[in-house]
Amino acid sequence: MLPHQFFKLLSDETRVRCLMLIERETCLSVGELTEALQESQPKISRHLAQLRSSGILVNVRQGQWVFYRLSDQLPGWMKKLIDDLVASNCLKTEYQHDIERLHAIQARPVCCQ
């Protein structure tokens, strides 16, 4: 993937929020992201499909659950940008409510990875 394609994918707030939470938590299900971002399941699934088809995310099927995580095949520059984004203060300020809602979910499913 070329840099302009990567940044175009990140031009959508929902995809950025999904990506940041997945990188922070390592592995998340569609249901967890739906709850944390307070968006509809079809919307979250559509954005995850775009990130998956681009090679940024991979899905892991575990029984009835489908979990998403960052691909191990990402180029170094892309992984560094994602890591820097997650480490920045914007995750602690602008998107803190996403993290709080995620951690408030009762009986979260566990990804075996």
Side-chain angles (χ1 to χ4, degrees), residues 20-83:
M20 288 172 48
L21 281 176
I22 290 168
E23 173 61 7
R24 185 178 189 284
E25 300 290 325
T26 308
C27 191
L28 290 174
S29 70
V30 175
E32 290 172 300
L33 288 164
T34 299
E35 185 71 27
L37 275 59
Q38 294 188 326
E39 297 286 355
S40 70
Q41 182 273 325
K43 180 177 181 176
I44 296 296
S45 292
R46 183 176 67 248
H47 288 294
L48 291 172
Q50 287 178 293
L51 291 166
R52 186 176 43 83
S53 68
S54 71
I56 294 173
L57 296 180
V58 294
N59 62 337
V60 179
R61 190 168 290 277
Q62 182 179 320
Q64 68 180 5
W65 300 100
V66 178
F67 294 92
Y68 289 84
R69 64 176 176 80
L70 250 58
S71 171
D72 294 334
Q73 305 301 312
L74 294 180
W77 65 267
M78 194 181 295
K79 178 74 170 116
K80 181 174 179 359
L81 282 170
I82 295 168
D83 288 344

Side-chain angles (χ1 to χ4, degrees), residues 89-108:
N89 280 335
C90 73
L91 188 61
K92 295 174 186 135
T93 56
E94 297 298 320
Y95 303 115
Q96 183 62 37
H97 294 298
D98 294 348
I99 296 166
E100 291 168 1
R101 284 189 295 268
L102 179 65
H103 290 166
I105 298 172
Q106 301 287 324
R108 288 176 52 194

